[in-house]
Amino acid sequence: MKVNSLSIKKSLKPFSGLRSNDLRFNGNRLEVTDGGVFVSTALETDDLLDCVVCYSDFSRVVGTLSGVIDIDLNDSSMVIKHGKRGRVVLPHYEKGLEWLDDTKPVGRLSGLCESLSDVSFAASTDELRPVMCGVYLCDGDMVSTDAHILSLRKYDAGGLVVNIPSSVVRVLSSLDGDCDVRMSDRKVVFDFGSVVVGGMLPEGRYPNYKAVIPKNNDQILRLERIPFLESLKRANSCVGSRVIEFRADGFELLMMCNDIDFGKSYEDVVAVSCRDEEQGRYRDWE
């Protein structure tokens, strides 16, 4: 197999962060699976290989090479030839952990990866509650929560209902473009063409997140994002408090926190716009 080292490096990027140490050459594709998540990427070559090598060893070797390299197999080794006389020998295996794809097409999604970055930070990391360790698509919503923080944005999934596990979300966050979605009772696969990402669906029903979102709430404020974040950073740096009190006072949002142990406190005021219920719009202080 002759292939450009830059092409291999590009194909290896989606695998970063996966726990598996087995890298499979399957025809002209590279595949990695750790049982819970599966990633497959295409190589820019027409040559075919079928073997399994150590992912960490292979990626370290390729990371030091440039230009076109030649990969050959013998009975027990992979030989990576580069330059005029350079060669690296790695052991290879005939079989590895395989991903059995029994999924069927269910739709096509646009802008999925960009939207996931808006909500994935709130997903739970508690493995005892795996159903909350991911991003949930349902009824035009994209939502994640760890039972303390809830992040929600609107996203048109075309009626598709799926709970995307965090292990898959991490891989998707490095990709872009439209993707075809395939699903079975236990698996979900996102096919970008050159990259295919799949994962095992968590068991159980996602919590009723809509029950904790206030309805018919007329207490609405609109504020500038950057000044608000800067004020939050100052509060955290001054007292290191995990609790910040917000208090609305007319067209101002008061931010207060204190550190009782060291006698420190912080106060700041952020200008806001209030919703005018009579005119149905936001207005500033006049």
Side-chain angles (χ1 to χ4, degrees):
M1 170 186 283
K2 289 186 179 297
V3 60
N4 193 296
S5 59
L6 290 178
S7 172
I8 296 184
K9 294 174 186 178
K10 180 180 178 181
S11 299
L12 290 174
K13 283 185 178 180
F15 301 134
S16 60
L18 298 184
R19 289 176 293 182
S20 175
N21 203 33
D22 288 341
L23 175 66
R24 180 182 182 187
F25 285 76
N26 187 6
N28 62 349
R29 299 188 70 89
L30 298 178
E31 299 177 353
V32 169
T33 179
D34 63 2
V37 61
F38 166 81
V39 182
S40 172
T41 63
L43 281 173
E44 297 176 0
T45 178
D46 294 329
D47 298 328
L48 306 179
L49 286 180
D50 187 6
C51 68
V52 177
V53 297
C54 176
Y55 166 68
S56 58
D57 290 343
F58 182 81
S59 60
R60 281 198 297 267
V61 169
V62 173
T64 64
L65 303 179
S66 61
V68 177
I69 60 177
D70 193 355
I71 303 176
D72 292 329
L73 297 179
N74 56 34
D75 291 339
S76 61
S77 301
M78 169 182 285
V79 181
I80 304 174
K81 302 176 183 178
H82 61 95
K84 294 184 178 180
R85 303 180 62 180
R87 56 193 291 133
V88 178
V89 179
L90 298 176
H92 76 77
Y93 315 92
E94 295 182 357
K95 295 182 180 181
L97 184 62
E98 296 186 23
W99 172 271
L100 301 178
D101 192 350
D102 57 352
T103 58
K104 297 180 180 180
V106 294
R108 185 173 179 82
L109 298 180
S110 177
L112 173 66
C113 304
E114 297 86 346
S115 301
L116 286 172
S117 61
D118 292 338
V119 301
S120 58
F121 69 91
S124 175
T125 58
D126 184 1
E127 296 183 357
L128 296 178
R129 308 175 72 177
V131 73
M132 297 173 63
C133 297
V135 177
Y136 185 54
L137 303 183
C138 181
D139 296 334
D141 291 337
M142 176 181 287
V143 62
S144 64
T145 181
D146 61 359
H148 299 284
I149 302 173
L150 185 145
S151 179
L152 181 147
R153 64 158 294 164
K154 294 298 180 181
Y155 179 78
D156 184 9
L160 177 66
V161 178
V162 59
N163 191 358
I164 309 175
S166 293
S167 56
V168 175
V169 172
R170 284 192 292 270
V171 179
L172 293 177
S173 62
S174 64
L175 306 175
D176 55 34
D178 299 346
C179 63
D180 294 314
V181 184
R182 305 193 301 270
M183 290 183 64
S184 66
D185 293 339
R186 292 295 315 280
K187 300 174 183 177
V188 59
V189 172
F190 301 91
D191 190 343
F192 293 83
S194 60
V195 181
V196 178
V197 183
M200 302 297 295
L201 294 172
E203 297 183 2
R205 179 175 296 181
Y206 201 81
N208 183 13
Y209 62 92
K210 294 183 179 180
V212 301
I213 301 176
K215 298 179 180 179
N216 301 321
N217 181 19
D218 59 354
Q219 304 297 318
I220 302 175
L221 300 177
R222 175 174 289 178
L223 48 82
E224 293 291 336
R225 174 175 173 270
I226 299 301
F228 179 63
L229 291 178
E230 290 176 347
S231 184
L232 285 177
K233 291 179 180 178
R234 288 193 296 269
N236 185 65
S237 62
C238 288
V239 297
S241 175
R242 298 185 61 185
V243 178
I244 300 177
E245 180 182 354
F246 298 95
R247 185 178 301 170
D249 185 7
F251 288 85
E252 295 179 338
L253 180 66
L254 307 180
M255 300 175 55
M256 297 171 289
C257 57
N258 59 75
D259 190 332
I260 299 177
D261 294 334
F262 294 93
K264 297 185 295 184
S265 64
Y266 175 83
E267 292 186 7
D268 198 4
V269 177
V270 180
V272 299
S273 300
C274 299
R275 183 173 179 83
D276 190 327
E277 295 298 331
E278 294 182 359
Q279 299 184 23
R281 64 180 178 85
Y282 290 90
R283 63 186 182 88
D284 297 321
W285 176 260
E286 299 175 355

